[in-house]
Every structure is written in C-alpha cells, then in structure tokens.
C-alpha cells in the first residue's frame, strides 16, 4: 500500500516538474545586469546641447561675383551634407558637425554645374592648411565623398577645423574669368564618455549610427550608414535609414541621389 502510494506521488511530482519546465522554456527571460541594451533603430539627428534644431538656407556661395551655369532647371544647389544651424540674430546659417574620428569623411551634393573639378580644403583654428585635394567631376549629379587620408595630421580632440568644398567653373568666354561656387563650414572632434563607448561596443553598426545621431555626432552617424549602403546596395532598410537621417536635418531632397565617386 505504501509503495503504491509513493509511486503515485512520485509520478505526480514528475508530471508537475515536466509541465513546469515546458511552460518555463516558452516564457520570456528577463534581462539580467549583463544583458545588452538594444536601442530603437530610428536614425534621427538630435543637436548637441546648446544648439537649436537645424535649418536649411541657400546652398553654395560664389567667388568672383559670378555663378556657375547649371545644366538643369530648378535643381538643388551645391550642398554640404551637414546640419546647418541658423546663427543668432542672423539670416545666414552655419554648417557644423561633430565627429569622434581622427580622419572623418565629408559628403557633398554636386549638381549639374559646368565645372570639371572640385577642390576640398581643411584648415585648423590658426588658418593653417591641414589637407587639400582636387576631385575630378564627370558632370553627373550626385553625392561626392572626401575621406581624409591616414597620412594627414589627425584631427585633435576639442579643436575646430574649417573645411571648404568648391567647384571650379568653366569660363563662358575668353573675356570672362573662371569662378568658384563653394560651401564651407566647421567640424570639431569630440571624445565620447565611457558609458557611450560601452554602449557602442555592444550593438550593431546600424544601431551605432542611431546612437551617434541621438548624441549629436553627425559625421560618424552619416559615414556608418553611407558605408553600409555601399556594401549592401540592395538593402531597402538602409535606404530608408539614410533618408531618415537626412530628413532630420532638412536634407531629404538629396536622399535619393547616388554616390558618384568611388
């Protein structure tokens, strides 16, 4: 009698344990202290503290008082892919952005302008040349990228640099001087704190782009998504995130433009 009772109780306990394990395995596991924080992959730029939201005014200025003739009507002007903040008590804007990189990449939209080459330059706070290069243009409309080479003196943390990108226009007649249409702005290298560094080490590149944008670090966010799009050209999600980022700084009209240099 006792052995029969023990067998029934043992069987009941085994069934209960088995059901408990089966149900428990299907329940979500609560994240422990070592779990990685997953951020929402919404890539939208948030200005650094003290900055207003980006605005967007006219594109490239001209030197020598002339403008380059365009090959299309009502098209977007030469534009730097950088947030443009409206200066206080002014109708002009200042294109500026942050980076954590020693040799960042710059991006510019080039319209169909009658020019065969562009010139990029970078100067330090003392107006000393850091880097200059010439970029051949094919007449195609699209986005040009300029990567600072590894042998260029690295950007120093907490220092600002002035960049400029100009298209050398072809003279329309022997009596006319060639002109330059250009855009200019600033870039400043910053150092991220240990908390943000740890978060970046635990997440995917796309999530890194979102986190950089959320913390106002424009150049890093843009370069990550641009590189992802180049290596995964058929990924529609990346196209959407690129457009999302550009829309957040009023550059959505450039989002569909192709990259036109290697």
């Amino acid at each position: 009698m006792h052995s029969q009772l023990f067998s029934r109780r043992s069987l009941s306990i085994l069934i209960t344990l088995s059901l408990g394990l089966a149900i428990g395995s299907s329940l979500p596991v609560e994240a422990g202290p070592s779990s990685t924080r997953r951020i929402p992959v919404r890539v939208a730029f948030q200005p650094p503290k003290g900055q207003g939201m980006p605005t967007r005014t006219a594109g490239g200025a001209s030197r020598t008082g002339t403008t380059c003739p365009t090959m299309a009507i009502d098209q977007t002007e030469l534009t730097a892919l950088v947030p443009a903040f409206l200066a206080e008590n002014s109708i002009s804007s200042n294109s500026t952005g942050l980076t954590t990189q020693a040799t960042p990449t710059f991006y510019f939209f080039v319209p169909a302008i009658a020019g065969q080459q562009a010139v990029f330059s970078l100067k330090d706070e003392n107006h000393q040349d850091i880097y200059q290069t010439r970029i051949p243009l094919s007449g195609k409309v699209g986005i040009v990228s300029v990567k600072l080479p590894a042998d260029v003196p690295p950007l120093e943390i907490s220092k600002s640099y002035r960049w400029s990108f100009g298209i050398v226009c072809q003279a329309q007649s022997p009596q006319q001087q060639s002109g330059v249409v250009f855009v200019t702005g600033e870039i400043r290298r910053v150092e991220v704190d240990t908390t943000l560094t740890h978060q970046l080490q635990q997440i995917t590149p796309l999530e890194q782009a979102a986190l950089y944008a959320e913390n106002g670090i424009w150049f890093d966010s843009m370069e990550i998504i641009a590189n992802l799009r180049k290596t995964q050209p058929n990924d529609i999600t990346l196209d959407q995130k690129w457009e999302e980022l550009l829309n957040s700084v009023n550059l959505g009209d450039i989002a569909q433009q192709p990259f036109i240099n290697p």
Side-chain angles (χ1 to χ4, degrees), residues 10-50:
S10 300
L11 181 60
S12 176
I13 291 171
L14 287 172
I15 293 173
T16 301
L17 288 173
S18 299
L19 287 173
L21 289 171
I23 294 172
S25 63
S26 63
L27 293 176
V29 179
E30 186 175 351
S34 61
S35 297
T36 301
R37 184 178 79 93
R38 312 305 291 182
I39 65 173
V41 186
R42 180 176 180 272
V43 188
F45 178 74
Q46 294 296 320
K49 185 178 292 186

Side-chain angles (χ1 to χ4, degrees), residues 197-223:
T197 299
H198 178 72
Q199 292 174 357
L200 290 167
Q201 292 172 345
Q202 307 298 317
I203 56 181
T204 66
L206 185 56
E207 290 173 322
Q208 289 175 359
L211 193 56
Y212 276 125
E214 179 186 322
N215 284 272
I217 304 175
W218 171 261
F219 282 91
D220 298 50
S221 179
M222 167 161 271
E223 184 167 2

Side-chain angles (χ1 to χ4, degrees), residues 147-192:
K147 173 72 174 177
L148 293 185
D151 57 354
V152 168
L155 302 191
E156 296 184 42
I157 293 173
S158 300
K159 288 192 176 182
S160 295
Y161 297 81
R162 170 67 56 174
W163 51 261
S164 64
F165 180 90
I167 297 177
V168 181
C169 311
Q170 299 172 354
Q172 299 301 296
S173 68
Q175 294 77 28
Q176 187 182 33
Q177 284 186 319
S178 60
V180 178
V181 171
F182 66 95
V183 286
T184 184
E186 290 188 354
I187 184 172
R188 181 162 60 90
R189 187 182 176 192
V190 295
E191 187 174 24
V192 298

Side-chain angles (χ1 to χ4, degrees), residues 5-237:
L5 182 60
F6 177 78
S7 298
R8 288 176 180 173
R9 286 178 177 174
S10 300
L11 181 60
S12 176
I13 291 171
L14 287 172
I15 293 173
T16 301
L17 288 173
S18 299
L19 287 173
L21 289 171
I23 294 172
S25 63
S26 63
L27 293 176
V29 179
E30 186 175 351
S34 61
S35 297
T36 301
R37 184 178 79 93
R38 312 305 291 182
I39 65 173
V41 186
R42 180 176 180 272
V43 188
F45 178 74
Q46 294 296 320
K49 185 178 292 186
Q51 287 276 27
M53 286 303 293
T55 183
R56 184 56 53 181
T57 58
S62 64
R63 186 173 296 157
T64 71
T66 62
T67 58
C68 292
T70 61
M71 300 165 65
I73 301 174
D74 296 330
Q75 66 174 354
T76 304
E77 295 179 317
L78 172 65
T79 306
L81 274 60
V82 183
F85 299 97
L86 190 64
E88 189 175 356
N89 300 321
S90 174
I91 60 172
S92 62
S93 61
N94 178 34
S95 297
T96 185
L98 303 180
T99 185
T100 67
Q101 301 177 65
T103 55
T105 302
F106 300 79
Y107 297 88
F108 305 94
F109 169 73
V110 176
I113 288 179
Q116 295 182 335
Q117 68 175 348
V119 179
F120 174 85
S121 71
L122 183 70
K123 298 179 182 291
D124 63 16
E125 293 174 333
N126 298 317
H127 308 291
Q128 298 297 312
D129 289 329
I130 300 297
Y131 178 64
Q132 286 188 346
T133 188
R134 293 180 178 269
I135 303 158
L137 299 177
S138 61
K140 295 180 180 179
V141 175
I143 298 170
V144 170
S145 61
V146 181
K147 173 72 174 177
L148 293 185
D151 57 354
V152 168
L155 302 191
E156 296 184 42
I157 293 173
S158 300
K159 288 192 176 182
S160 295
Y161 297 81
R162 170 67 56 174
W163 51 261
S164 64
F165 180 90
I167 297 177
V168 181
C169 311
Q170 299 172 354
Q172 299 301 296
S173 68
Q175 294 77 28
Q176 187 182 33
Q177 284 186 319
S178 60
V180 178
V181 171
F182 66 95
V183 286
T184 184
E186 290 188 354
I187 184 172
R188 181 162 60 90
R189 187 182 176 192
V190 295
E191 187 174 24
V192 298
D193 58 33
T194 54
T195 300
L196 183 56
T197 299
H198 178 72
Q199 292 174 357
L200 290 167
Q201 292 172 345
Q202 307 298 317
I203 56 181
T204 66
L206 185 56
E207 290 173 322
Q208 289 175 359
L211 193 56
Y212 276 125
E214 179 186 322
N215 284 272
I217 304 175
W218 171 261
F219 282 91
D220 298 50
S221 179
M222 167 161 271
E223 184 167 2
I224 289 173
I225 300 183
N227 288 336
L228 288 173
R229 292 184 72 221
K230 290 175 184 177
T231 57
Q232 304 173 53
N234 297 321
D235 192 326
I236 299 176
T237 299

